[in-house]
Amino acid sequence: MSAWATGQRWVRVRLVTVGIVLVVLLASLVARAWRLQIKESKKYRELAEDQYLKEVELPSRRGRILDRHGVELAASAEVESLWVNPAEINALGHGEEIVRAFHEVLHIDLPTLRKALRTHRHFVWVKRRLSPEEAAAVRGVQRRGVYFTKEPRRWYPNRALAGPVLGWAGLDGVGLEGLELHYDKQLRGARAEIQGLRDALGREVFSEGLETPGHGGYDLVTTIDKFIQYRLERALEAGVERNHAKAGVAVVLDPKSGEILAMAAVPTVNPNDPSLQPGQAVRNRAVTDPFEPGSTMKTFSISAAIEAGLVKPEEHWYCENGKYQIGPATIHDAEKIGDVTTTQVLAESSNICTAKIARRSGRERVHNLLRRFGFGAATGIDLPGERGGVLRPVERWGEVELATVAFGQGITATPLQVARGYATIANGGTLFRPRVVSRVVDDKGHVVTEFPPEGHRVLAPEVAATMRQMLFAVIQPGGTGEKLAIPGYRAGGKTGTAQKVDPATRRYSTDKWASSFVGFAPLDDPRLVIFVMVDEPSGTHYGSMVAGPVWRETMEAALHYLHVKPSEPAAVATMPPSTSGSAPAIEEEGVVSVSEEEVVTPGAVEVPDFTGLSLGEAVEMAQRAHLALEIAGSGRVVNQSPGPGRARASSRCHLQLSPPG
Amino acid sequence: MMESTPEETRISASSYRIDPLLFAAVCALVGFGLVMVYSASAFYAQRSFGAADYFLRRDFAYATLGLCAMAVAARTDFERYRRWAYPLLGLTVLLLLGVLLVGARINGAKRWFHIGSLSFQPAELAKLSLMIYLARSLAKKAEKVKSFTVGFLPHMAIAGLMMVLLLKQPDLGTAVILGMATLVLLFVAGAKVSYLVLAFLGAAPIVYQAIVGTPWRFKRMLAYLDPWHYRYDVGYQITESLISIGSGGLTGQGLGDGKQKLFFLPEAHTDYILAIVGEELGFVGLTAVALCFTLLIWRGIRAALRARNAFGCYLGFGIVAVIALQALVNLGVVLGSLPTKGLPLPFVSNGGSTLVVDLLAAGILLNISRGAPEAATTQRIVGLGWWSRLWARSNRRRWRRTTGERVQLEIGE
C-alpha cells in the first residue's frame, strides 16, 4: 500500500500521458479516414464503380452464313470454355490440386498453370473451346474456383466448301477474312449490354433494368449455290491436279444480276482449321489476284470495233501466216493463219488480226470500252481485299501497247473482272456489280437489308448479240474450243492462254502460262457465266485443253441442276440417261459427303408424307430426310406444304397440325 | 464543493458498481460488430455455405459466450488472478510451444488448436496471461522497477520469450502488440525510459530481419509503400480496402448496400470489417467506431486510475493497452497507414475465441472499474471527475471499502 501510494502520482501522470497518446493516434487515423472518404472520395468511388459496374456483355449469337437456298455455310455452336478464379482458389488453398488435375486432363504444362494461379485476379482463362471430352474430364475433377462458360464457336459444316469466300472468324467471334470479315458488323449483331453489378468472380449479381436493346447477329443469305459451288470446286481441283498446275481459280456468275453463284480457289482453305491466321497465304484469288488474261480480252477489243461500226463479223482479214511486225515488236500467232473472217479471228484466236482490228478502232475506242467494262477498277464486290488490275492510261499507249492490250497482254484483270465482262455481253450489255450476299435477315427471317442487283448499260444489245454469235463460233468446229460443246446446249466462250511474266527475269516466260476459259450458256438466254483459270499448268497449256474441261463439266452439271431447257431438243435424246436429272446423277457418280455432319444434298430432297403423324414423329422423320420444318398448331399433321415427293433441297416444309377429332 | 452521502448498509466489494460507460462502449462495439459481420458476410456466406446468416450465427454464439464470460469476470474479484499469474504464464508458454508442434496449419501459419468444431488460438491467451503476470510482478517490485536487473530484464525476458514463440507460428501481428503493450506497461510502472528505448532499438533489427528475411512480409511492406503498383498482387487487399473506404464518402452507401464485400475485399467480415463500415456507413461510421474506442481508452484508464491497488491498476491498464493498440493497428492497416497485419478489430470482427477472450478481458477491466475509495483522490489529481459528479448526483449509492469503513466520497474541489 505504501509503495503503491508513493509511486502513485507519477504512475497516474504516465497513465494519462499514454492514454492521451493513444487517443491522439486514433484521432490521426480518423483524420486519414477524412482524407480518404471526404477529400478523395470521388477517385475511389470511380475505382469501385469500375470494378463492379462492369458492362456485362452478353455475347450475341454470331449470325449464320447461308447459301441462296438457306443451307448453312457457317454457323455458331455453343461450346464450353474453362476459367478459374485464382483469388478464390488461393483462399481455399487447393491450387496445387487443381494444377495437377488440369495438367493430367488437359495436358497443359505445370509452370503455365501455376503462373496462371499466381494472381489476385478473379478471372483467368485456362482453356477456351474445350472439346466435349475435355469438358467431361474437367467436370470429373471439379473443384471450387473452377468454372465453365458457354462460348460460341464458329463452325463451317461443309469444311473447305467456299472457304476462301466465307473466310473465317477468330476465337472471339471476330471476322478475320472473307465474308466473315466484310460483314462482321452484321454477323456480330448489336451486343446487348447490361450494366449489372458484378461480383469479384465476374458473375452478375444484380442485373435488373438498364438493358440497352440489342439483337443477335444477323444471318447472311448469300448468292452462293452450294451445289454449283461444290461441283465447281471438284472440277477445278481435278483440273489443277490433272495438269499438275500451281493453282486454279474459278467463278460462276448469274449474268442477269451479277450474283456470284460459286467462287473457288485451289489451293483452298478449311475455315475450321484453328491455326488459321489473318492474311495467311490463302487468298480468294478470284478477287485478289489480277493477272494478264490473254486472249479472253480479244472479245472486248473486237467489241469496240463492232460497236463503232468499223468492222463487220464477216469481213475478211489476213493474218500474215503467224508473224507480224508492229513497230519494233514482232507478234506471233500460235498457229499460222491466212485469210479469215472477223468471227474466225476470234474463233481461232489470232493475235495478229486482233491487233489489226484494234488499230482500226484506235486506242481511244479500245481504252474507252475497257473502262466501261470496268477494267482497271475494282468491281465493288462485297468481299475484302479486292484489287482492280492495271489498265494503263490511254496517253501512254503506243502502237505496240494497243496491239498487246487488244489480245490481253500488258493489262491485268482479276478473274472476276473478266467473268463480269462476259456476263455483260451475255446479258445484252448491262454491267452489274457482282454480289455475294443478296440480303441480311434477322433470326426470325425478316429482311434487314436487301441488296438488289445494281447494273447499268455499257453496250448496245445488238452489239452484245453479235458478240455472242461470234463467241458461239469458238465452240463450233474450227474454233479453239471446239471440243467444249455441251450436248443439248448452245454456248459461247473464249479461250485464253496467256504468257506469264517470270518474276525472276521480268520477261515473258516460255513455260509459265495462265490457261483460262470463260463462257456462257445457253447462247440465246444465258443463265450462267463461268470463268476458269488454271495457273502454270505443266505439259499442255492451251486454255481449251486445261481450263476448258473444268468449264464444260461445271457448266453442264449446273445447267441440268437449274433445269435449263436444252436448246437443241434433238440433242437431248443423245444425252446419257445418267445425266438427265441432277440429283440422281450426283449420287450415281459416287459423290461422298464433304463433311461428316452433312451429306451434300444436291438440288432436291424427297419430302416424306407427314400426314397423320404426331409432332414428335414428324420431327424425327424430317431429321432423317434432312428437312427443316415450320410448325403451326398442335396435334397431328393435317396438311403439309410442299406435299410428298421431290422438293428443292433445304426448303422448309410447312406443317399444319390440328387436334384429332 | 463537497458532498457527503448518507450512511448506507454494508455492501460487498462485488456489488460496487461497474463503470456503466465502459460497459456501454464494449456492448456497443459487440452489437455493432454483429450487424456489420452480417452485412459483410451475408453474400459470401450465401454463396459458400448456402446460408446468409452462417457467420452471423457463429458470431452471435461466440458473442453470447463472451458476454457470459464478461459477466462472470466482472463479478469475480480481480485479486484472484494474482495467484494465477505464474501457472497461467506456464500454461501459455506450453500452449504456444504445443501449437507449434500439433497446431492446425491454416494459410501457412500454425496458430490454432482444433477441438472438434471449435478452434482456439493460444496467442489470445498469451495477451491476457502476460498482462496478468506483468501486473503482478510490477506491483510487487514497486520502486525496484527502475532497476535494470530486477525491474526491466525479467519482464522483457518473459515478453521476449512469448514474442519469439509467436514469431515462430508466425504471428508477427500479435508479437508486435505484446511487445508494445509490455513497453508501455513498463513505462507506466516507472521503468527507465532509456532502457525502454534500448529495448525498442534492440527489437528493431529483429523486426527488420523478420520483414526482409521473409519474402511475403517483404512484399507486404512493398505493397504498403506503393499499393497501387502491386494492385493485383500483394497490394490487392490494401487497394480494395482503400477503394471500399474511399467510396463510402461522408455517410456511406447505406448499411448493407456496400459493393466491395461481393468478394472484392477478402476477409471482409474479419480483419477488414472496418473497410465495410467505411463503405456502408462512411466517415460517420468510422468516426463512431473510433469514438467507441476513445471512450473505452478513457474509461479503461480511468478504471486503472481508480483501481484499489497497483495490481489492479497495471492489469487494467495492460488490458486497455492491448485492446487499444490492436484497434489502432487494425484501423491503420485498413486505412493503408500501416503494412498489412492479420489482426482482427477487438469486439467487432468476426472471430470465435478472440471475441471470447477479449470480452473476458473486458470483464476483468469492468471488475477493476468497480474501483475503490482511492478513486476519489485520483479524480482530484487528474481532474477526470466531471462525469462522476453527474453520476453521483443521479445515483446516491456510494462506494464502500471491503473493510466496512464508511467512506465519504469527495467530489470536486
Side-chain angles (χ1 to χ4, degrees):
Chain A
M1 186 64 207
S2 62
W4 172 232
T6 52
Q8 257 186 65
R9 176 175 281 263
W10 283 109
V11 166
R12 285 174 181 148
V13 170
R14 292 195 195 105
L15 259 179
V16 173
T17 310
V18 171
I20 288 167
V21 168
L22 288 175
V23 172
V24 165
L25 287 174
L26 207 51
S28 75
L29 287 174
V30 171
R32 161 93 176 152
W34 172 270
R35 214 183 85 201
L36 288 176
Q37 297 193 281
I38 309 297
K39 291 174 83 176
E40 295 173 5
S41 182
K42 194 163 172 276
K43 176 178 118 191
Y44 290 109
R45 203 163 288 186
E46 275 163 15
L47 278 166
E49 280 174 8
D50 182 48
Q51 286 199 127
Y52 56 76
L53 278 185
K54 268 274 178 323
E55 278 176 353
V56 180
E57 282 190 352
L58 302 179
S60 52
R61 181 189 66 93
R62 190 172 173 87
R64 299 175 300 164
I65 302 179
L66 308 171
D67 94 334
R68 61 191 302 123
H69 304 302
V71 178
E72 280 181 356
L73 300 177
S76 286
E78 295 223 304
V79 293
E80 301 275 19
S81 284
L82 177 68
W83 59 276
V84 291
N85 180 349
E88 192 180 0
I89 288 168
N90 292 334
L92 294 165
H94 58 256
E96 192 54 30
E97 237 177 280
I98 288 175
V99 163
R100 297 215 169 270
F102 283 177
H103 174 63
E104 219 165 86
V105 171
L106 300 172
H107 310 292
I108 304 172
D109 61 346
L110 292 169
T112 313
L113 286 167
R114 289 205 185 100
K115 199 171 164 232
L117 284 180
R118 212 177 299 129
T119 170
H120 280 287
R121 284 177 197 276
H122 293 260
F123 186 97
V124 172
W125 285 120
V126 176
K127 188 169 182 184
R128 300 178 69 177
R129 274 101 184 171
L130 298 181
S131 69
E133 300 80 45
E134 286 175 323
V138 173
R139 282 191 202 289
V141 294
Q142 183 83 42
R143 294 278 193 293
R144 270 176 61 199
V146 176
Y147 301 93
F148 285 99
T149 292
K150 291 229 184 270
E151 278 200 291
R153 180 186 188 280
R154 204 59 169 160
W155 177 244
Y156 303 89
N158 308 295
R159 292 189 184 171
L161 187 89
V165 180
L166 300 176
W168 59 88
L171 263 191
D172 286 303
V174 180
L176 297 177
E177 279 290 347
L179 285 175
E180 295 270 30
L181 171 62
H182 195 86
Y183 286 97
D184 190 42
K185 225 176 110 191
Q186 287 90 334
L187 286 166
R188 266 203 258 180
R191 240 167 238 251
E193 278 170 359
I194 292 179
Q195 263 209 337
L197 281 182
R198 189 186 70 143
D199 69 21
L201 306 182
R203 297 180 295 207
E204 261 177 79
V205 183
F206 315 108
S207 65
E208 70 269 29
L210 293 166
E211 198 169 342
T212 55
H215 59 78
Y218 292 139
D219 289 349
L220 299 183
V221 180
T222 64
T223 59
I224 302 283
D225 187 302
K226 184 176 160 187
F227 174 77
I228 299 176
Q229 176 76 32
Y230 176 73
R231 292 304 302 254
L232 180 69
E233 285 183 13
R234 291 295 87 78
L236 183 64
E237 265 167 33
V240 168
E241 203 171 308
R242 198 163 51 232
N243 293 287
H244 308 288
K246 194 178 99 181
V249 54
V251 179
V252 181
L253 267 180
D254 177 350
K256 289 175 179 165
S257 61
E259 289 177 355
I260 307 287
L261 291 167
M263 188 179 262
V266 174
T268 185
V269 56
N270 180 354
N272 290 311
D273 183 350
S275 63
L276 286 172
Q277 298 295 324
Q280 205 160 318
V282 207
R283 300 183 304 269
N284 186 11
R285 301 168 59 109
V287 300
T288 60
D289 284 21
F291 70 115
E292 287 184 87
S295 304
T296 50
M297 293 303 283
K298 286 172 183 161
T299 305
F300 305 115
S301 45
I302 292 172
S303 295
I306 303 272
E307 184 187 37
L310 297 169
V311 168
K312 294 268 174 294
E314 53 284 353
E315 189 176 342
H316 280 260
W317 299 84
Y318 178 59
C319 296
E320 311 284 346
N321 278 319
K323 203 172 172 189
Y324 184 54
Q325 190 79 25
I326 295 179
T330 308
I331 295 172
H332 298 271
D333 276 341
E335 280 170 52
K336 289 176 185 169
I337 305 168
D339 180 68
V340 289
T341 61
T342 310
T343 303
Q344 283 170 303
V345 167
L346 192 60
E348 296 178 32
S349 202
S350 166
N351 293 340
I352 293 163
C353 287
T354 306
K356 286 182 172 181
I357 292 167
R359 188 163 56 192
R360 188 186 289 178
S361 304
R363 58 180 195 175
E364 273 77 20
R365 283 203 184 86
V366 174
H367 185 270
N368 177 277
L369 184 127
L370 292 176
R371 282 289 303 277
R372 270 188 283 146
F373 270 66
F375 290 98
T379 65
I381 191 174
D382 45 347
L383 283 170
E386 194 196 4
R387 287 169 59 191
V390 175
L391 174 64
R392 288 210 188 92
V394 67
E395 308 80 55
R396 283 170 54 191
W397 284 18
E399 206 180 2
V400 181
E401 281 76 19
L402 174 59
T404 59
V405 167
F407 56 78
Q409 305 272 181
I411 176 173
T412 63
T414 61
L416 181 65
Q417 283 174 311
V418 178
R420 181 170 70 151
Y422 277 82
T424 303
I425 287 169
N427 68 28
T430 305
L431 184 82
F432 282 104
R433 178 175 173 187
R435 287 225 74 96
V436 184
V437 171
S438 58
R439 57 189 189 276
V440 177
V441 298
D442 67 16
D443 53 355
K444 292 180 188 69
H446 302 307
V447 174
V448 178
T449 321
E450 192 148 28
F451 304 104
E454 279 174 52
H456 60 277
R457 180 163 295 282
V458 296
L459 195 69
E462 314 79 61
V463 182
T466 307
M467 292 313 298
R468 281 202 298 274
Q469 289 305 320
M470 290 171 73
L471 290 168
F472 173 60
V474 174
I475 303 180
Q476 293 301 299
T480 50
E482 61 183 345
K483 297 201 178 74
L484 302 175
I486 299 166
Y489 295 95
R490 301 205 305 159
K494 181 72 192 83
T495 54
T497 311
Q499 278 179 289
K500 286 183 72 175
V501 174
D502 190 320
T505 60
R506 316 211 74 191
R507 288 167 174 279
Y508 283 108
S509 156
T510 49
D511 58 352
K512 288 199 171 71
W513 303 82
S515 306
S516 58
F517 192 87
V518 55
F520 47 85
L523 185 67
D524 305 314
D525 180 23
R527 296 279 302 274
L528 297 164
V529 171
I530 301 180
F531 171 94
V532 177
M533 191 269 273
V534 175
D535 196 14
E536 296 185 23
S538 22
T540 181
H541 56 260
Y542 291 109
S544 60
M545 304 183 55
V546 176
V550 177
W551 176 87
R552 200 193 102 136
E553 195 186 325
T554 313
M555 183 64 93
E556 190 176 4
L559 287 171
H560 290 154
Y561 163 76
L562 295 173
H563 303 294
V564 175
K565 272 212 177 85
S567 44
E568 291 161 19
V572 179
T574 66
M575 277 165 55
S578 68
T579 53
S580 59
S582 56
I586 302 308
E587 278 148 22
E588 281 155 35
E589 281 167 35
V591 171
V592 289
S593 65
V594 276
S595 78
E596 287 136 16
E597 288 72 31
E598 199 172 339
V599 173
V600 165
T601 37
V605 290
E606 201 68 46
V607 177
D609 188 354
F610 290 105
T611 321
L613 298 181
S614 71
L615 181 58
E617 292 163 340
V619 169
E620 199 177 305
M621 188 175 270
Q623 270 172 353
R624 259 181 277 134
H626 298 283
L627 256 182
L629 290 182
E630 269 174 36
I631 289 143
S634 63
R636 291 189 176 269
V637 179
V638 291
N639 202 358
Q640 73 179 81
S641 164
R646 189 164 290 277
R648 255 262 160 82
S650 74
S651 54
R652 283 166 183 273
C653 187
H654 182 88
L655 298 185
Q656 179 66 48
L657 280 76
S658 173
Chain B
M1 196 203 99
M2 304 271 278
E3 190 185 325
S4 42
T5 52
E7 188 176 342
E8 285 186 280
T9 49
R10 288 183 169 198
I11 43 174
S12 71
S14 61
S15 64
Y16 284 163
R17 298 288 303 207
I18 58 165
D19 182 347
L21 263 192
L22 189 57
F23 181 70
V26 172
C27 288
L29 285 170
V30 171
F32 182 68
L34 283 171
V35 174
M36 290 318 296
V37 161
Y38 181 65
S39 174
S41 69
F43 187 78
Y44 172 64
Q46 183 66 50
R47 280 254 151 103
S48 303
F49 301 98
D53 58 356
Y54 178 83
F55 289 104
L56 177 67
R57 281 161 176 272
R58 287 173 67 94
D59 203 30
F60 190 78
Y62 278 113
T64 309
L65 191 66
L67 287 170
C68 291
M70 181 169 83
V72 170
R75 292 174 170 277
T76 308
D77 188 5
F78 66 85
E79 272 301 318
R80 293 189 182 202
Y81 307 119
R82 206 194 286 260
R83 252 179 296 154
W84 286 93
Y86 284 102
L88 259 177
L89 196 63
L91 177 68
T92 303
V93 171
L94 280 179
L95 286 174
L96 284 174
L97 280 169
V99 82
L100 290 176
L101 298 173
V102 298
R105 187 173 287 274
I106 298 176
N107 293 343
K110 278 189 164 186
R111 298 180 185 171
W112 288 268
F113 281 120
H114 280 290
I115 305 143
S117 65
L118 299 171
S119 59
F120 167 69
Q121 268 198 81
E124 295 299 329
L125 184 65
K127 288 188 278 194
L128 195 55
S129 61
L130 181 64
M131 288 309 122
I132 291 172
Y133 155 73
L134 286 174
R136 177 197 155 125
S137 179
L138 290 171
K140 188 176 155 200
K141 280 159 187 164
E143 285 300 302
K144 288 182 217 148
V145 168
K146 288 194 171 64
S147 85
F148 184 77
T149 46
V150 180
F152 181 76
L153 209 52
H155 305 127
M156 285 313 291
I158 296 293
L161 173 66
M162 283 198 182
M163 286 168 72
V164 167
L165 290 174
L166 284 168
L167 280 175
K168 284 276 173 201
Q169 291 186 356
D171 185 353
L172 182 63
T174 307
V176 166
I177 295 291
L178 279 189
M180 289 200 300
T182 305
L183 288 180
V184 170
L185 200 51
L186 284 172
F187 167 72
V188 165
K192 277 195 176 168
V193 176
S194 56
Y195 296 158
L196 301 181
V197 171
L198 208 67
F200 188 80
L201 291 178
I206 297 169
V207 173
Y208 175 81
Q209 187 55 39
I211 289 171
V212 176
T214 325
W216 55 270
R217 279 202 194 114
F218 186 61
K219 279 180 130 186
R220 277 184 172 186
M221 200 67 200
L222 292 176
Y224 160 66
L225 295 172
D226 186 4
W228 299 99
H229 185 255
Y230 298 94
R231 187 169 169 195
Y232 290 106
D233 192 16
V234 286
Y236 185 78
Q237 284 183 324
I238 184 60
T239 50
E240 291 299 332
S241 178
L242 289 176
I243 288 173
S244 291
I245 290 175
S247 61
L250 180 65
T251 54
Q253 307 191 346
L255 190 59
D257 285 344
K259 313 295 188 300
Q260 289 289 103
K261 61 198 179 193
L262 309 176
F263 290 108
F264 286 116
L265 194 62
E267 294 162 72
H269 59 291
T270 59
D271 297 355
Y272 281 86
I273 190 96
L274 278 180
I276 299 297
V277 173
E279 188 190 4
E280 299 192 349
L281 302 175
F283 179 71
V284 171
L286 280 185
T287 308
V289 173
L291 282 176
C292 279
F293 278 104
T294 306
L295 185 63
L296 197 136
I297 292 168
W298 164 39
R299 297 308 287 190
I301 286 180
R302 179 177 173 274
L305 289 170
R306 297 169 65 119
R308 70 171 185 271
N309 58 30
F311 175 64
C313 173
Y314 294 147
L315 180 56
F317 176 73
I319 289 169
V320 171
V322 167
I323 290 172
L325 286 170
Q326 202 169 325
L328 277 172
V329 170
N330 181 278
L331 189 57
V333 166
V334 169
L335 290 169
S337 300
L338 289 174
T340 311
K341 286 273 161 303
L343 280 179
L345 184 67
F347 307 121
V348 181
S349 288
N350 172 280
S353 61
T354 312
L355 184 57
V356 178
V357 176
D358 285 345
L359 282 171
L360 178 70
I364 296 171
L365 186 59
L366 284 171
N367 180 265
I368 294 166
S369 77
R370 287 170 195 274
E374 286 98 330
T377 347
T378 304
Q379 282 167 8
R380 264 213 303 266
I381 292 169
V382 296
L384 283 175
W386 63 268
W387 200 85
S388 299
R389 213 174 300 144
L390 295 175
W391 182 247
R393 287 209 182 109
S394 63
N395 193 332
R396 295 288 160 190
R397 283 209 269 164
R398 296 293 76 164
W399 288 271
R400 286 179 154 266
R401 300 185 79 168
T402 37
T403 52
E405 185 187 330
R406 214 197 111 209
V407 167
Q408 283 193 330
L409 183 69
E410 300 165 39
I411 290 178
E413 264 52 61

